[in-house]
Amino acid sequence: MNIEINHLDELGSAAEALLSFAGNEKIFAFEGEMGAGKTTFIKVLCQKLGVTDVVNSPTFSIVNEYAAPAHQAIYHFDFYRIKNLQEVFDIGYEEYFYSGNICLIEWPQMIGGLLPENYIEVGITALSEDKRSFTFTKIS
């Protein structure tokens, strides 16, 4: 599925489209260049999921946990700064990925083949300062 928005004010409709497209899938892998808007989109997505916590990039902590009324927990990962896969094992990634909770993963390419078998790949491309292109793909 492909979506383009012309202004960042339209991120909410892109988030709703992603949630509709995902169905029961709970693992989301966000791909895009630095500055494409992955964290910004995740903030809007979390709002749509009912998160009232402050949503920010877990760049240094690797994972943040958010509470949402309809979900036990939402986990937000940023693997940009990991130095080796042992760091991913050390945080107990399997407990998060296979918890049945929503996992939002930035920089999934940094963790090689550790993603679960089924997930939604979210590609984000910045076309201009405000314009974005989104591609949603079910991976299985």
Side-chain angles (χ1 to χ4, degrees):
M1 172 181 223
N2 296 309
I3 295 175
E4 277 192 20
I5 62 167
N6 293 310
H7 196 276
L8 296 179
D9 291 345
E10 299 171 23
L11 284 173
S13 62
E16 289 170 358
L18 173 58
L19 291 172
S20 176
F21 176 82
N24 292 326
E25 293 294 335
K26 299 205 177 196
I27 307 292
F28 298 84
F30 294 83
E31 301 201 2
E33 297 292 322
M34 181 74 74
K38 294 178 294 293
T39 302
T40 300
F41 185 58
I42 287 172
K43 287 179 183 182
V44 173
L45 183 62
C46 284
Q47 287 173 344
K48 294 293 179 184
L49 291 167
V51 172
T52 58
D53 299 329
V54 173
V55 175
N56 53 33
S57 178
T59 302
F60 296 101
S61 61
I62 301 178
V63 62
N64 288 344
E65 180 177 339
Y66 312 121
H71 308 279
Q72 290 178 342
I74 295 173
Y75 301 115
H76 178 192
F77 299 85
D78 185 335
F79 291 121
Y80 182 73
R81 295 195 188 283
I82 65 164
K83 294 175 183 64
N84 57 59
L85 287 180
Q86 187 59 48
E87 290 179 65
V88 182
F89 287 102
D90 289 347
I91 66 163
Y93 83 94
E94 289 175 314
E95 291 180 36
Y96 295 106
F97 287 6
Y98 298 101
S99 67
N101 293 317
I102 292 174
C103 292
L104 310 171
I105 304 163
E106 294 187 56
W107 300 99
Q109 64 271 32
M110 301 298 287
I111 61 169
L114 298 181
L115 287 174
E117 186 174 300
N118 299 310
Y119 62 94
I120 302 294
E121 182 179 272
V122 180
I124 304 174
T125 304
L127 303 174
S128 69
E129 188 174 329
D130 285 340
K131 192 173 183 177
R132 298 289 184 275
S133 173
F134 295 88
T135 304
F136 308 147
T137 308
K138 288 186 180 182
I139 306 295
S140 56

